[in-house]
Amino acid sequence: MKIFRCAIVLLFTSPAIAQQVAQVADPVEWVKPLMGSASSGDLSNGNTYPAIALPWGMNTWTPQTGKMGDGWQYTYDANKIRGFKQTHQPSPWMNDYGQFSIFPETGKIQVKEDERASWFSHKAEIAKPYYYSVYLADYNVTTEITPTERAASFRITFPQSDSSHIVIDAFDKGSYLKIYPNEQKIIGYTTKNSGNVPANFKNYFIIYFDKPFFISRNTTDGQPDSTPVEITGDHAVAVVNFKTTAGEQVGLKVASSFINYEQAELNLKRELGNDSFETTRQKAKSAWNKTLSRVEVGGGTAEQVSTFYSCLYRMLFFPNKLYEIDAKGQIVHYSPYNGQVLPGYMFAGTGFWDTFRALYPFLNLMYPSINKEMQQGLLNDYKEGGWLPEWSSPGYADIMVGNNSASVVADAYLKGLRGYNIDTLYQALLHGANNEGPISAVGRYGVKYYKELGYVPYDVNINENAARTLEYAYDDFAIYQLGKKLGRPAAEINLYKKRSLNYRNLFDSSTGLMRGKNKDGSFQSPFNPFKWGGAFTEGNSWHYTWGVFHDIQGLINLMGGNKHFINKLDSVFILPPVFDDSYYGGVIHEIREMQIVNMGQYAHGNQPIQHMLYLYNYAGQPWKTQYWVREVMNRLYKPTPDGYCGDEDNGQTSAWYVFSAIGFYPVCPASGQYVLGAPLFSKITLNLENGKKVIITAQHNSDANRYVKSISYNGKPYSYNWLNHQKLLEGATIDIQMQNQPNKQRGVKPVDYPYSLSNDQ
C-alpha cells in the first residue's frame, strides 16, 4: 500500500468510521496518474493518460499502448507497451501533435510497432507525476523516466546481452533523424500532427546517450560504421545498439523545441545540464509538491485525499506552455498561427467551452501568476491569428460552440490580474462577439441572427443553435462586466447587458425549459426535451436550461418563482435516464455515461450541467446543494483507473471536484462570487499567492454530517450562500459547524442568495 509511505498522521476513532488522514506532508505521493485511464471511445472514465511532466510543462511523457496516431495512446486495459512517447495531447478527441517515441529492446531488432510491443503488468509499473517506471517483460528491461518542462531523463536497465538496442521512432507523415555515433547523439524532427498548425510545423528533438553505441548496418568491411547517418522520409526510425552487462543502466537525456535544434539543445542544457537522473527526479518531485501544497487538506479518508490531489494534479497541465527561453534569456515562441518565431508567451491545449467554468477561476484564485502569462499568451493569439482561440490544439481547432474566451479574459481581470494589455484583449472580445470567424469555433457562428433576433434560429442550418444562444448571452455578460470595470461608454456596456438577457428568448413557458426557436419566432416542433444534440451541444434541454450562469434569478422568475424552480431542479434526479440519440445516429459516450450512473437526467460526465447542483442556493434551499454535491463526490469520483464519470476535459471535471471539496464553486465566473456547498474535509488551507491564507474548518464533518448548521467568517456569523473573491484574497478564517440534518433556517432569505443580473441595481 504505497499510499501510506508518505509522512502522514492518522486518526483512529472507532471501527465504524473510516480511517482519517489528519495531515498530508507529501501531497505528490497521493496522486494517482492512472485515474481515468480505463477508458475508450464508447465509454469514458476520464479519457486520461498517465502524464509524466511538470505543472504546465511544454512536453509530457507517457507510455504508449495505442498504435501510432491513436488518440487513446494509453489505456489501462491494454497489456502491451510499444513506446515511451513525448506528447502534447490534450484529449483523445483532439489527438496529438509534436510526437515521437523511445523504446528499448534486446535480442532481434523489432522496428514495427506491433512487432516490438512488449507485455507489461501494472504490478510492475510505477506511475507518479514526476516519475514513471515499468518492466518490459519481453526484453527483461526496465524503463524509467523523469521530466522537466521541455526535457526528460531516461534510465534504462538492461540484462546481459550482446544485442541491446534503443528504437527512436519519429512517427509518420514526414520525419527526419540524424545519428552521430561519435557524439553519442541523435537529432531529429517530427511533423506528425492532427491539424491546426502551419505548413512549416516541426518538433525538433535532441537525444544524448551516456554510453557509446553503434549502428547495425552493412558496410564494405562488415564493421560498425561511426559516420553520421541521416534518415528522411514519411516515417523515420533509427536503432542504436549496445552490448550490456546484467543490470547495466543506460541513460538518455532528451529535449525538444518547436523552434529549431539549437533551441532544443539550449533547453536540454538549461533544464538538465549535468544533473543525474536522481537529481532531476528530486527536482521534479519538489516542483510538484510546491505546486500541490498551495491547497492543504486534512480530516478526510485516504481515498478522498488521493482523489483530491489526483484531481488537482490533472488540473495543473492545462493549458500547457508553448513558449521557450532563448539564449538571451528572452521569452519566445513558435506561432501555431503564422509559423513565425516571435517574442512573448504562448499556451495551448485547452477548450474554453470546458474550462471557463472552473479551471480558469481556480487559476485566478490559487495560481494567478501563471494565468497572467496565459493572458499575455491570449494577446499573442489575437495578434498573430486575428482571433482569440476557443479551442487551441495548438492553433485554432474547429470544435465546440460558444465564445467563452470572453469569460476567460474578463474573469481574470475582474479578479485582479494586471500587468498586460487589457485594452487590446477587450477589443479582441468585441471583435469576437460581433463577427463570424474563418471557422465556426472562433468568433460567433450565427452572430448576424443573434444580433438581429436575439437568438440563433433553429431552422437556418446552424447546428446546436440554442446552446450557442445561451453561451453567447453569458459571454455578453462577461463583456458587460469587464466593460464596466474599464470605464467603457455607457451605450457600449448597456448593449452587452441587454444582449446578456437573450436567454429569455428561448424559454418555453409551456414546458418550463429552454427550446430551439425558428427564425419566424415559433418554437421548434416537435419538441423532445430528452433529445441530445439538435439545438444543444452534447446534452439536452434538461441540461442546458440551467445555463444562465449570470442570472439565475431571471430564470427563477421565468419559471414562476422559487417553488417551481426547486421542483424543476429536483426533477432532474427524479426523471429516468431516457434519451433520444437521433441527432447523432447512435448512442454517444456522453449519453451512456449519464444513463449508467443512476442519477436520472443528471449528466455530470459533461460540462453543461455541472454547476446545476449549486443552484438550490439561489432559491433558499442550500441544504439540497450540500446533499447532492456530496453525493456526486462520493459516487462519481475515485482515485482509480475508472475514477471519473466521463471525459475529464482539460482539468474542468477535476476542477469541479477540487472546488467542491473545498466547499464552494464559481457558478458565474465573472461575478466575483463563489457559491457555497460544504467542505469534504475537516480542515482546508488555501495558501494564496499573495501570502495570505484562507483557513476553512468543518467541525463534526462526516458523510452523515454533510449539512451546514452554521458558518462564521472571521469570527462573525455568516448567513450568505456565497463568498466574495476579493474578500478571500485578504485572508480569512471560515468556521463551519456540520450536522446530520438540514438547517432549513440558514441561507433562506433573498439577501443570502448569490449574484443575479436581475437583482443588479
Side-chain angles (χ1 to χ4, degrees):
M1 293 185 59
K2 64 186 178 203
I3 199 169
F4 297 113
R5 289 177 187 167
C6 51
I8 59 174
V9 178
L10 300 175
L11 296 179
F12 296 92
T13 51
S14 71
I17 299 177
Q19 192 172 327
Q20 297 286 298
V21 179
Q23 184 179 354
V24 176
D26 208 7
V28 71
E29 297 301 333
W30 292 86
V31 173
K32 303 296 183 186
L34 299 184
M35 178 177 173
S37 63
S39 298
S40 69
D42 294 326
L43 182 68
S44 174
N45 289 306
N47 266 333
T48 64
Y49 56 88
I52 315 305
L54 293 190
W56 305 290
M58 188 174 85
N59 302 329
T60 297
W61 289 87
T62 192
Q64 180 192 349
T65 65
K67 292 188 177 184
M68 178 177 60
D70 186 353
W72 281 263
Q73 55 190 354
Y74 177 99
T75 54
Y76 188 82
D77 295 335
N79 49 36
K80 288 187 177 182
I81 288 175
R82 63 188 72 225
F84 299 96
K85 180 184 177 189
Q86 188 193 93
T87 178
H88 306 90
Q89 179 172 293
S91 160
W93 306 107
M94 303 305 295
N95 217 300
D96 207 352
Y97 62 93
Q99 53 202 290
F100 65 96
S101 72
I102 296 170
F103 191 70
E105 302 175 335
T106 57
K108 180 183 177 182
I109 294 174
Q110 302 281 8
V111 173
K112 295 181 179 179
E113 60 176 353
D114 286 343
E115 295 173 359
R116 74 183 184 228
S118 171
W119 283 82
F120 80 106
S121 168
H122 298 299
K123 299 177 181 67
E125 179 186 43
I126 300 171
K128 299 177 182 292
Y130 62 90
Y131 172 76
Y132 180 83
S133 173
V134 70
Y135 176 68
L136 300 176
D138 289 345
Y139 303 114
N140 192 22
V141 167
T142 296
T143 299
E144 300 170 273
I145 310 170
T146 189
T148 69
E149 287 190 344
R150 300 169 186 86
S153 282
F154 279 66
R155 185 167 65 189
I156 302 171
T157 304
F158 285 97
Q160 191 282 321
S161 176
D162 291 337
S163 57
S164 295
H165 17 267
I166 295 177
V167 178
I168 309 300
D169 191 338
F171 286 21
D172 63 2
K173 307 303 181 184
S175 50
Y176 168 84
L177 292 165
K178 189 171 185 178
I179 308 170
Y180 296 85
N182 288 344
E183 298 179 52
Q184 298 170 205
K185 179 176 78 171
I186 295 178
I187 67 171
Y189 66 73
T190 175
T191 66
K192 190 172 181 64
N193 64 80
S194 303
N196 317 314
V197 295
N200 69 345
F201 170 81
K202 291 182 176 70
N203 183 25
Y204 301 89
F205 57 86
I206 185 165
I207 306 171
Y208 281 100
F209 299 76
D210 69 357
K211 178 180 175 67
F213 58 77
F214 61 92
I215 307 168
S216 293
R217 67 189 187 96
N218 293 327
T219 63
T220 55
D221 58 4
Q223 298 300 310
D225 190 344
S226 62
T227 57
V229 175
E230 287 187 276
I231 307 164
T232 306
D234 178 71
H235 186 181
V237 180
V239 182
V240 296
N241 305 272
F242 315 89
K243 292 182 179 181
T244 55
T245 59
E248 182 175 355
Q249 294 181 330
V250 176
L252 283 67
K253 290 185 176 181
V254 189
S256 66
S257 169
F258 293 112
I259 296 172
N260 53 39
Y261 293 119
E262 293 76 18
Q263 184 65 48
E265 179 95 37
L266 184 59
N267 292 343
L268 188 148
K269 290 180 176 178
R270 181 180 282 127
E271 297 187 8
L272 290 175
N274 295 320
D275 287 350
S276 68
F277 183 92
E278 286 301 330
T279 298
T280 302
R281 179 163 69 168
Q282 287 305 313
K283 285 183 177 180
K285 179 177 179 178
S286 295
W288 271 109
N289 270 335
K290 180 180 179 181
T291 310
L292 293 169
S293 293
R294 287 283 182 87
V295 187
E296 302 174 38
V297 300
T301 67
E303 181 180 89
Q304 290 167 340
V305 170
S306 187
T307 303
F308 181 88
Y309 283 113
S310 297
C311 285
L312 184 54
Y313 146 85
R314 190 63 61 176
M315 294 166 61
L316 301 179
F317 292 114
F318 305 105
N320 62 281
K321 296 176 180 179
L322 279 188
Y323 70 82
E324 305 176 53
I325 304 170
D326 70 11
K328 297 178 181 179
Q330 297 174 331
I331 304 297
V332 293
H333 65 271
Y334 168 83
S335 173
Y337 304 104
N338 60 29
Q340 299 177 35
V341 177
L342 296 167
Y345 292 98
M346 182 66 63
F347 288 78
T350 188
F352 293 157
W353 185 82
D354 305 291
T355 54
F356 86 86
R357 304 165 196 266
L359 187 280
Y360 277 93
F362 195 81
L363 296 179
N364 290 330
L365 178 62
M366 297 307 304
Y367 305 99
S369 290
I370 192 68
N371 197 19
K372 178 183 172 182
E373 291 185 9
M374 294 171 186
Q375 297 298 312
Q376 292 171 291
L378 288 173
L379 274 166
N380 291 325
D381 293 333
Y382 177 57
K383 292 175 182 177
E384 296 162 25
W387 304 84
L388 290 176
E390 302 299 335
W391 233 116
S392 58
S393 185
Y396 301 123
D398 196 9
I399 189 170
M400 307 311 291
V401 304
N403 182 215
N404 298 307
S405 55
S407 181
V408 172
V409 169
D411 190 48
Y413 193 81
L414 291 166
K415 287 178 176 169
L417 274 66
R418 297 294 185 271
Y420 53 92
N421 191 336
I422 189 61
D423 293 320
T424 299
L425 275 178
Y426 183 77
Q427 291 303 316
L429 297 189
L430 298 188
H431 177 62
N434 292 285
N435 295 280
E436 288 192 354
I439 56 176
S440 67
V442 298
R444 294 189 181 182
Y445 189 35
V447 69
K448 176 179 180 290
Y449 297 107
Y450 179 79
K451 290 197 291 184
E452 291 178 359
L453 302 175
Y455 60 95
V456 181
Y458 183 87
D459 58 347
V460 294
N461 295 317
I462 296 177
N463 65 327
E464 301 168 9
N465 36 81
R468 296 180 193 276
T469 299
L470 293 169
E471 295 192 30
Y472 294 166
Y474 165 69
D475 298 330
D476 283 332
F477 168 78
I479 295 172
Y480 159 69
Q481 289 284 82
L482 181 57
K484 282 197 303 180
K485 187 71 173 179
L486 296 176
R488 301 292 298 179
E492 180 178 283
I493 61 175
N494 286 337
L495 170 65
Y496 290 96
K497 181 179 182 180
K498 178 181 178 181
R499 280 165 45 166
S500 74
L501 299 175
N502 281 343
Y503 70 88
R504 296 173 176 173
N505 296 326
L506 296 189
F507 185 78
D508 173 18
S509 59
S510 69
T511 62
L513 296 168
M514 296 295 176
R515 184 172 174 180
K517 181 176 279 190
N518 295 320
K519 186 178 178 182
D520 65 6
S522 62
F523 281 112
Q524 171 269 332
S525 184
F527 175 57
N528 181 352
F530 303 111
K531 180 177 180 177
W532 285 59
F536 302 102
T537 301
E538 296 180 3
N540 64 31
S541 182
W542 277 101
H543 307 144
Y544 264 92
T545 291
W546 317 106
V548 188
F549 313 99
H550 56 295
D551 196 17
I552 299 302
Q553 185 60 55
L555 182 61
I556 292 171
N557 295 342
L558 290 174
M559 288 188 177
N562 286 354
K563 181 178 179 181
H564 292 287
F565 181 76
I566 292 290
N567 287 342
K568 210 74 170 182
L569 288 171
D570 290 344
S571 297
V572 170
F573 303 104
I574 295 170
L575 288 166
V578 296
F579 56 85
D580 175 352
D581 62 7
S582 59
Y583 176 75
Y584 300 102
V587 179
I588 61 173
H589 73 93
E590 291 92 346
I591 294 176
R592 189 70 72 208
E593 290 142 17
M594 176 197 75
Q595 181 194 32
I596 64 177
V597 297
N598 193 25
M599 296 187 78
Q601 285 291 315
Y602 184 69
H604 192 80
N606 212 14
Q607 282 63 49
I609 202 171
Q610 287 179 349
H611 68 293
M612 184 219 92
L613 306 182
Y614 285 88
L615 301 188
Y616 290 102
N617 284 282
Y618 293 77
Q621 294 193 13
W623 55 90
K624 289 186 176 178
T625 289
Q626 295 153 24
Y627 173 82
W628 282 114
V629 168
R630 183 67 68 96
E631 282 295 291
V632 170
M633 286 192 286
N634 285 350
R635 293 162 60 176
L636 303 186
Y637 290 81
K638 303 288 182 185
T640 56
D642 64 344
Y644 294 100
C645 57
D647 284 352
E648 195 284 323
D649 281 329
N650 314 118
Q652 167 56 29
T653 299
S654 292
W656 184 95
Y657 184 93
V658 168
F659 261 125
S660 296
I662 291 170
F664 51 82
Y665 186 79
V667 169
C668 181
S671 70
Q673 290 185 355
Y674 304 100
V675 180
L676 286 169
L680 182 63
F681 301 97
S682 295
K683 185 176 182 181
I684 300 147
T685 301
L686 307 181
N687 297 302
L688 303 179
E689 200 170 87
N690 64 8
K692 302 291 186 179
K693 293 180 183 292
V694 176
I695 300 172
I696 303 168
T697 58
Q699 299 292 327
H700 313 299
N701 201 1
S702 69
D703 190 47
N705 294 343
R706 64 177 64 182
Y707 298 104
V708 173
K709 178 182 180 182
S710 63
I711 300 177
S712 69
Y713 191 106
N714 289 338
K716 297 180 180 180
Y718 192 85
S719 65
Y720 301 124
N721 294 338
W722 51 271
L723 298 172
N724 178 275
H725 175 84
Q726 296 301 330
K727 290 293 184 182
L728 289 178
L729 293 186
E730 298 172 4
T733 299
I734 303 171
D735 296 311
I736 305 174
Q737 296 292 321
M738 305 294 291
Q739 62 184 20
N740 63 4
Q741 295 293 325
N743 179 356
K744 297 186 178 181
Q745 307 304 313
R746 192 202 158 276
V748 299
K749 300 176 182 177
V751 70
D752 299 325
Y753 301 168
Y755 174 89
S756 285
L757 180 61
S758 289
N759 297 330
D760 192 9
Q761 300 300 321

